[in-house]
Amino acid sequence: MAQLNHETTTGDVLSAYLQGQATEFLRSLRLHRESSTDAQGAEESLEAARALRRAARRIGGTLHTFRPLLDQEWAAGMRPELAWLSGTLAREHAYATRLERLLDALHRLSGTPGVPAPVRHDVPAVGRRSARRWGSPRSSGAESGGGWAQPTPPGADEQSGTPRGLTVGAAKAAALLERQLTLARTRAHSTALQAFGSSRFHAVADNVAVLASEVPLTQATEDLKPLAAKAEENLAEAVAALPLGQAGHPYNAEALTHGLAAAEAPEAQDAPWLKTRALLRLHRYAQEVLTAGPGGDLRLAEAGHALDRHREAADAASAAASAARTPRIAPATAYALGVLHADQRHEVEAARFAFHQAWLRETEAVSTS
């Protein structure tokens, strides 16, 4: 951690950071509005929404960590509204990323080549990529949902070494996932659009606009470092509660077995890691305040990336398990989804192992500094 003197860690630094994030929020909002009215600005609109979400997360996290120095009533009312906005904007991107991850995994697991297919204009970009990957003939049945069946050449299973049940069911599993997650993504997009037009969002934007010009500090001369150290301490306690001894092994079969129990996995397995991810973000944002800008320790960034991958893989496994519970799907489809679920739980364990290694490097660096 950088050595900082008292003069650089007072409320003035906190005000400058919050005002900078508020300005980024308003800039991203303006870009989002401009690109939303342009037929060619879809990518710019998505990037502006991501920047808006990042700024909202940083403002909310900073208000949480340094709340003793801020007007309590104002901060308590602002934080949940920023969390609502950030969560609402994140869902569409999360569903798109989840679908891409699952289709890539199915393609890898089945070991089958993609067959070019006509582009369907009613399918989002992610769906069109999966259509090209999985072939053109339409499938039927509950799992098709407008998806694509994949032709299986004679002898393909023997050549690739892939179980025939997986090869047969992979295309229909992909179609089912595409239908379910594309529908969820469409609904998330509609929810985000409604949020942008709501009075609740306008109230948030108005408060951020006020924040860009004035931060309601109650103790402007107070040192920020003790509060930042508290955020670091909370993170260390959460990490200490994790089963890092098990995560220290690249293949954790015991955790995979528990993960297959859908009712147990989210609470018993993933929740402590998700809590650690949230606390790691708070710690990193506090370091950004102290260092007056982004960046920080690259080892912490590596640990954060590992926990991001953990959450993505856990959510993908949950989506595969949910799809497998769809009524009247073929046994081969259910089998492919089961293999996919297990594969994503393996990815969860790999992310925990990566976090364990990154955290060891971080603690060793701190102990030798």
Side-chain angles (χ1 to χ4, degrees), residues 87 90-106 126 129-130 133 174 177-178 180-182 184-185 188 308 310-323 340 344:
R91 291 191 190 101
E92 181 183 0
H93 175 71
Y95 284 126
T97 302
R98 197 169 306 158
L99 177 59
E100 185 106 18
R101 165 184 277 271
L102 288 169
L103 295 181
D104 286 343
L106 270 175
V126 172
R129 285 195 292 274
S130 65
R133 177 180 298 135
L177 289 167
E178 182 179 337
Q180 292 184 347
L181 291 176
T182 299
R185 181 187 180 186
D308 288 343
H310 176 280
R311 180 180 180 180
E312 291 172 1
D315 289 343
S318 179
S322 178
L340 181 61
Q344 291 305 300

Side-chain angles (χ1 to χ4, degrees), residues 33 52 79 82 84 110 117 161 201 212 214 233 287 335 352:
R33 286 171 173 168
L52 188 67
R79 289 202 323 269
L82 290 167
W84 161 76
S110 62
F201 171 76
E214 181 181 1
E233 179 183 340
Q287 295 306 303
Y335 172 72
R352 292 178 182 179

Side-chain angles (χ1 to χ4, degrees), residues 28-205:
S28 301
L29 177 59
R30 176 178 56 81
L31 291 176
H32 183 272
R33 286 171 173 168
E34 292 174 353
S35 57
S36 297
T37 60
D38 184 359
Q40 306 299 322
E43 188 62 34
E44 290 81 357
S45 178
L46 289 174
E47 181 54 40
R50 284 193 287 267
L52 188 67
R53 192 170 72 245
R54 286 194 297 268
R57 282 202 312 262
R58 279 168 166 76
I59 295 172
T62 303
L63 295 183
H64 175 82
T65 300
F66 299 102
R67 60 189 180 279
L69 309 184
L70 299 159
D71 181 271
Q72 298 291 302
E73 183 177 353
W74 172 83
M78 188 79 164
R79 289 202 323 269
E81 295 304 290
L82 290 167
W84 161 76
L85 176 61
S86 177
T88 300
L89 297 182
R91 291 191 190 101
E92 181 183 0
H93 175 71
Y95 284 126
T97 302
R98 197 169 306 158
L99 177 59
E100 185 106 18
R101 165 184 277 271
L102 288 169
L103 295 181
D104 286 343
L106 270 175
H107 182 59
R108 168 175 49 82
L109 291 168
S110 62
T112 51
V115 180
V119 174
R120 294 170 57 199
H121 296 289
D122 58 328
V123 177
V126 172
R128 290 198 294 271
R129 285 195 292 274
S130 65
R132 287 193 291 271
R133 177 180 298 135
W134 291 103
S136 57
R138 293 288 295 272
S139 62
S140 59
E143 63 267 45
S144 65
W148 304 85
Q150 180 212 332
T152 305
D157 300 328
E158 292 77 6
Q159 295 170 8
S160 64
T162 304
R164 182 169 183 80
L166 179 58
T167 303
V168 172
K172 290 185 177 181
L176 176 59
L177 289 167
E178 182 179 337
R179 176 173 66 86
Q180 292 184 347
L181 291 176
T182 299
L183 177 60
R185 181 187 180 186
T186 301
R187 288 174 175 170
H189 180 72
S190 299
T191 300
L193 291 179
Q194 293 172 2
F196 276 120
S198 67
S199 58
R200 185 177 183 181
F201 171 76
H202 288 296
V204 174

Side-chain angles (χ1 to χ4, degrees), residues 103-366:
L103 295 181
D104 286 343
L106 270 175
H107 182 59
R108 168 175 49 82
L109 291 168
S110 62
T112 51
V115 180
V119 174
R120 294 170 57 199
H121 296 289
D122 58 328
V123 177
V126 172
R128 290 198 294 271
R129 285 195 292 274
S130 65
R132 287 193 291 271
R133 177 180 298 135
W134 291 103
S136 57
R138 293 288 295 272
S139 62
S140 59
E143 63 267 45
S144 65
W148 304 85
Q150 180 212 332
T152 305
D157 300 328
E158 292 77 6
Q159 295 170 8
S160 64
T162 304
R164 182 169 183 80
L166 179 58
T167 303
V168 172
K172 290 185 177 181
L176 176 59
L177 289 167
E178 182 179 337
R179 176 173 66 86
Q180 292 184 347
L181 291 176
T182 299
L183 177 60
R185 181 187 180 186
T186 301
R187 288 174 175 170
H189 180 72
S190 299
T191 300
L193 291 179
Q194 293 172 2
F196 276 120
S198 67
S199 58
R200 185 177 183 181
F201 171 76
H202 288 296
V204 174
D206 289 344
N207 284 330
V208 173
V210 173
L211 181 63
S213 59
E214 181 181 1
V215 177
L217 291 172
T218 57
Q219 302 179 50
T221 60
E222 188 74 16
D223 192 354
L224 305 182
K225 287 187 285 186
L227 295 174
K230 179 62 177 175
E232 185 175 8
E233 179 183 340
N234 292 338
L235 171 62
E237 290 177 357
V239 173
L242 295 175
L244 289 185
Q246 289 178 316
H249 301 283
Y251 175 71
N252 183 0
E254 181 182 354
L256 175 62
T257 301
H258 289 302
L260 292 174
E264 298 291 334
E267 295 297 329
Q269 285 283 314
D270 297 332
W273 297 85
L274 297 176
K275 177 183 177 182
T276 301
R277 176 175 177 267
L279 291 174
L280 178 59
R281 279 187 169 182
L282 291 178
H283 173 50
R284 290 187 63 193
Y285 298 160
Q287 295 306 303
E288 288 184 5
V289 173
L290 295 184
T291 57
D297 195 319
L298 293 179
R299 290 178 295 270
L300 279 180
E302 183 182 356
H305 291 323
L307 291 180
D308 288 343
R309 294 197 305 273
H310 176 280
R311 180 180 180 180
E312 291 172 1
D315 289 343
S318 179
S322 178
R325 291 191 289 270
T326 303
R328 299 185 303 279
I329 61 174
T333 307
Y335 172 72
L337 290 169
V339 172
L340 181 61
H341 175 269
D343 174 76
Q344 291 305 300
R345 292 308 304 183
H346 278 295
E347 292 292 328
V348 167
E349 294 309 314
R352 292 178 182 179
F353 177 71
F355 172 79
H356 176 255
Q357 298 301 306
W359 187 257
L360 283 179
R361 287 190 290 272
E362 169 65 18
T363 53
E364 289 172 359
V366 171

